[in-house]
Amino acid sequence: MGRLGMRSKTIIIIGLLLCSFWFGGTAWADRVDQRYQKVAKRYHELYRNTPFRDKAHNWINTINQFEWIYNKYPRHARAPQSLLNIGNLYRSLHKWNKKQIYLDRSSIFFRKLTNEYPQSSLADNGQYLLAENYELFKKDKDLAFLEYQKLIDQYPNTSSARKAREKIKTLQPPPKDLQIAPKVEEALAPVDLSKARYGGLSVAENQKKNSPSLVSSVDYWSTSDWSRMVINVKEGVRYKYQGLGASGTKGRRIYVDIFNSYLPKKFKHRIAANDGLIKQARVAQFDKKTVRVVLDMASVKKIKVFHLKLRHQYKIIIDILGQSALPDLKVAKGKSLKSKTNPSGKKIAIQKNLKTAQMVSLSKALGLKVKRIIIDPGHGGRDPGALAFGLMEKDIALKMGLLLKQIIEKKHPEMEVLMTRSKDEYLSLDARTAFANKTRGDLFISIHLNASHREKVKGIETYFLNLTSDNYALSVAAKENQSSLKSISELQNILNDLMTNSKIQESSELAQMIQKATYSAVKQSKQYKTRDLGVKQAPFFVLLGAQMPSILIESGFITNRKENRLLRTAKYQRVIAEGIYRGIRQYMN
Ligand SMILES: [Zn+2]
């Protein structure tokens, strides 16, 4: 009885709601239309030759009122019309005062129209105007081509499409890697970053800066389970970053704002990755003094943002770990296959996890754990590394690296050996780790020579990535990182957090074996003498973020006259390479 009573009550309430919606619905429809007509009158006034037109605030007011209609009544027929009008108004403002921001806003609203109201009779119109914005004002023929093409594909039978076909005849098709049109101007759309975290310079340090810093380039490496983006700035900057979850049509994004900075005039504003975790990146001058980087990401498990101060450069690094980079055992066993968000994306990740789990056990059973070794000869090109007695670290490291490759390939034809560099060329530290991850190496061996102020110091030492309180190890890392001791200790503070996924235990074992075998190889040769300086740990940037066991060997002191003489001979280089190989072999068994 009680239940029945409840039920009838519910029906009545729903009935009432429906009625009020119905009556209210028609009522607001009229009100909105009246309001729209009023704003539209002002709109037409702006395009007539009157004093009303000459006041900027009349334009902005009109824009605001159209925007209000769109925000308040997005389902009303006047909403798409309002978007089109806003796009036109911003475009006119841009023509008037040449400000980029107005052009970008114009494009934002034209795109909003086609994205949110694809069925509207105005959508093709908006798409045409958007393409025209790129062609005529942005002077970006590539993007213009893509947007015209999109119009032809989506609205083939419209008069806009006919015009677009004529336009496209005069344009060149853009290169393949730009075939996805990234929405550059969206980097400029307002977004709530109130939960951002801050990094880099302090507020006071930032204020002391006299002029903004140049953001010279943005590099990225992306695989399906690991991605790294490096923002290169000329000097220290203050920055903030915040991740935003998926909402509406937008996927997960991360925003990085770099304060007191600017982009060069000819900066490539778009990066269409789409081959891994980073789907797309947009870099834009957000306002006069802020550069904004927006990353669109695929399914992500963990994001780390940190900076590194090198001697001539400041790097803001965004490391992204994908779902499959950290196999979740629960998921891998197939216990919790249900997911609330993004079901299709999650499914792929789960399948990958299962696959990895199976592969690991299988390869272990077959003893095929190490298939691909990455050899990284330190320095190169404009970076000679340590110098002494006319010898350059970069040259010896390369020779040893090539010898090591030769030895491994000869003894293990089934294995693949890849070099980060096989000639005298410059390669940044982040590019080396990225190469190892991208090629999915199973081991990473970085070869270096040591240097000391004291000529007497000699010996071999092997490092793996970890925190250290040893000042000597820190100074070696500072030297190899091309950064100051202060910057290294700053890095230590965030390292803890960064290393959760690095293979510390395996790397430590690999380091032990390589150190021991290399020292023994020299000792066994009976012709040479060196010193066993042991295994050490330090925050080497080149090892940071590596997804495989990785070590860095300092194979001798270039500053020790005797060792220097040995290091330059092919014979001794071979002894060292042979030693490293034996260490690797022992690790593999
Ligand atoms: Zn070095």
Side-chain angles (χ1 to χ4, degrees):
M1 183 65 197
R3 263 191 199 162
L4 268 174
M6 278 279 275
R7 200 168 179 176
S8 52
K9 225 186 227 166
T10 321
I11 289 165
I12 290 164
I13 290 168
I14 290 171
L16 277 173
L17 279 174
L18 276 174
C19 287
S20 67
F21 178 76
W22 179 249
F23 293 120
T26 39
W28 69 245
D30 289 338
R31 268 207 322 271
V32 177
D33 206 53
Q34 276 168 19
R35 181 141 190 165
Y36 175 84
Q37 296 298 350
K38 242 168 111 183
V39 189
K41 225 175 121 189
R42 297 174 64 109
Y43 175 80
H44 293 300
E45 189 98 342
L46 288 169
Y47 287 98
R48 249 178 260 133
N49 199 3
T50 62
F52 182 72
R53 191 185 66 170
D54 298 332
K55 298 227 162 54
H57 68 258
N58 286 333
W59 291 79
I60 301 298
N61 270 340
T62 311
I63 286 171
N64 287 343
Q65 289 184 40
F66 277 132
E67 212 174 342
W68 184 88
I69 292 171
Y70 157 74
N71 282 327
K72 188 98 179 169
Y73 304 102
R75 283 197 220 135
H76 193 279
R78 293 302 186 186
Q81 179 79 59
S82 297
L83 290 178
L84 187 71
N85 295 347
I86 296 171
N88 280 327
L89 287 168
Y90 273 129
R91 179 155 142 167
S92 303
L93 276 172
H94 169 73
K95 279 201 240 174
W96 186 29
N97 66 9
K98 300 282 173 276
K99 278 189 184 161
Q100 274 303 308
I101 186 109
Y102 290 139
L103 179 59
D104 290 327
R105 286 200 183 146
S106 164
S107 299
I108 288 175
F109 283 95
F110 287 143
R111 200 186 287 283
K112 240 182 173 42
L113 167 61
T114 56
N115 279 352
E116 294 175 23
Y117 303 93
Q119 308 296 336
S120 158
S121 61
L122 299 169
D124 62 303
N125 225 322
Q127 182 63 30
Y128 184 82
L129 291 165
L130 175 65
E132 220 181 41
N133 270 359
Y134 282 117
E135 188 199 352
L136 303 181
F137 305 113
K138 273 267 181 199
K139 310 276 179 214
D140 190 330
K141 298 261 157 79
D142 289 346
L143 280 188
F145 184 99
L146 293 170
E147 297 297 353
Y148 282 130
Q149 188 60 54
K150 212 163 126 192
L151 169 57
I152 295 166
D153 294 343
Q154 288 179 3
Y155 308 98
N157 300 320
T158 57
S159 64
S160 309
R162 272 196 296 282
K163 281 194 285 175
R165 279 188 202 99
E166 289 307 309
K167 286 277 194 180
I168 252 178
K169 281 182 197 160
T170 67
L171 298 166
Q172 290 284 327
K176 261 271 178 297
D177 65 324
L178 288 179
Q179 293 287 331
I180 325 118
K183 301 151 195 172
V184 179
E185 74 279 2
E186 259 185 26
L188 301 162
V191 60
D192 176 21
L193 295 183
S194 54
K195 293 197 179 107
R197 297 172 70 175
Y198 290 79
L201 299 184
S202 68
V203 176
E205 282 170 327
N206 185 39
Q207 276 168 354
K208 255 190 251 161
K209 273 172 62 175
N210 293 324
S211 53
S213 309
L214 175 70
V215 175
S216 51
S217 62
V218 174
D219 301 323
Y220 79 92
W221 296 269
S222 200
T223 70
S224 59
D225 51 17
W226 175 89
S227 288
R228 168 173 284 181
M229 170 161 275
V230 179
I231 305 165
N232 295 300
V233 193
K234 280 287 166 215
E235 61 244 314
V237 284
R238 181 169 172 77
Y239 61 91
K240 74 172 180 187
Y241 58 96
Q242 185 181 330
L244 289 178
S247 70
T249 52
K250 286 181 179 138
R252 286 196 62 172
R253 286 152 293 154
I254 182 161
Y255 283 77
V256 182
D257 275 357
I258 304 148
F259 302 120
N260 213 345
S261 66
Y262 69 100
L263 290 171
K265 278 238 163 63
K266 282 196 170 168
F267 195 81
K268 196 179 153 198
H269 286 251
R270 52 175 181 271
I271 301 161
N274 220 28
D275 57 349
L277 285 180
I278 300 176
K279 284 202 250 169
Q280 204 176 89
R282 286 157 271 155
V283 186
Q285 190 78 43
F286 179 64
D287 59 34
K288 239 179 176 170
K289 284 184 137 186
T290 312
V291 170
R292 173 167 286 181
V293 178
V294 186
L295 295 183
D296 287 333
M297 297 169 299
S299 64
V300 162
K301 187 116 185 177
K302 201 166 185 185
I303 303 166
K304 285 288 145 208
V305 182
F306 59 102
H307 62 272
L308 195 77
K309 196 171 142 199
L310 306 184
R311 216 166 285 145
H312 303 292
Q313 212 167 37
Y314 198 81
K315 286 166 181 276
I316 300 169
I317 295 143
I318 306 155
D319 271 2
I320 304 164
L321 286 178
Q323 299 286 0
S324 54
L326 299 169
D328 182 342
L329 284 176
K330 243 206 261 166
V331 175
K333 279 178 195 155
K335 272 184 187 161
S336 57
L337 289 172
K338 277 177 215 151
S339 61
K340 278 177 193 160
T341 52
N342 194 7
S344 57
K346 200 110 177 190
K347 225 174 196 171
I348 295 165
I350 289 165
Q351 280 166 355
K352 230 179 217 158
N353 279 339
L354 282 170
K355 224 171 127 193
T356 336
Q358 284 161 0
M359 264 162 54
V360 167
S361 54
L362 194 71
S363 59
K364 229 179 189 170
L366 293 172
L368 294 172
K369 212 172 154 200
V370 176
K371 277 189 193 154
R372 190 174 295 135
I373 296 177
I374 313 297
I375 300 174
D376 172 47
H379 314 276
R382 61 181 146 95
D383 167 22
L387 304 161
F389 307 113
L391 200 61
M392 290 191 266
E393 179 185 355
K394 65 171 184 178
D395 294 332
I396 307 305
L398 178 58
K399 283 180 181 162
M400 285 177 176
L402 289 169
L403 279 170
L404 177 58
K405 176 180 159 78
Q406 219 179 62
I407 295 170
I408 300 172
E409 280 176 344
K410 201 172 158 197
K411 300 199 172 156
H412 300 270
E414 78 284 2
M415 253 159 45
E416 193 181 355
V417 184
L418 299 175
M419 309 284 296
T420 55
R421 68 176 180 103
S422 36
K423 54 178 193 272
D424 184 19
E425 64 182 337
Y426 177 78
L427 205 60
S428 71
L429 295 171
D430 33 288
R432 295 167 195 259
T433 334
F435 174 81
N437 287 346
K438 200 171 165 83
T439 56
R440 296 175 192 281
D442 299 309
L443 295 179
F444 181 73
I445 314 286
S446 192
I447 302 175
H448 290 254
L449 300 187
N450 223 331
S452 171
H453 293 301
R454 286 176 298 151
E455 205 193 304
K456 272 191 180 166
V457 181
K458 64 173 183 180
I460 299 169
E461 59 195 10
T462 308
Y463 285 87
F464 64 97
L465 176 77
N466 208 347
L467 300 171
T468 185
S469 52
D470 176 3
N471 276 334
Y472 169 75
L474 267 183
S475 73
V476 174
K479 209 164 52 205
E480 297 293 8
N481 287 350
Q482 298 167 14
S483 64
S484 65
L485 262 178
K486 185 175 167 264
S487 168
I488 290 293
S489 40
E490 271 173 30
L491 181 65
Q492 288 235 96
N493 293 335
I494 48 168
L495 203 59
N496 233 338
D497 214 23
L498 286 169
M499 290 194 314
T500 44
N501 192 47
S502 58
K503 305 241 175 347
I504 297 178
Q505 192 51 40
E506 289 98 320
S507 298
S508 152
E509 279 168 27
L510 179 63
Q512 300 285 354
M513 288 166 185
I514 287 182
Q515 172 65 21
K516 220 172 137 194
T518 311
Y519 177 68
S520 308
V522 176
K523 222 169 107 184
Q524 276 167 16
S525 73
K526 289 191 181 156
Q527 303 170 45
Y528 315 113
K529 264 190 190 146
T530 185
R531 200 172 280 159
D532 182 2
L533 299 175
V535 169
K536 290 167 182 165
Q537 52 191 60
F540 284 96
F541 185 46
V542 72
L543 304 179
L544 187 64
Q547 303 288 298
M548 70 288 306
S550 45
I551 63 103
L552 183 148
I553 181 165
E554 297 279 3
S555 50
F557 278 79
I558 196 171
T559 43
N560 179 286
R561 199 178 288 268
K562 269 190 190 163
E563 214 156 52
N564 180 292
R565 225 174 278 152
L566 290 179
L567 286 164
R568 60 178 74 217
T569 67
K571 233 175 157 183
Y572 189 73
Q573 289 160 10
R574 185 168 282 279
V575 171
I576 297 280
E578 179 70 32
I580 298 174
Y581 160 68
R582 285 184 206 161
I584 294 172
R585 189 182 58 194
Q586 201 193 339
Y587 177 84
M588 291 191 298
N589 297 330

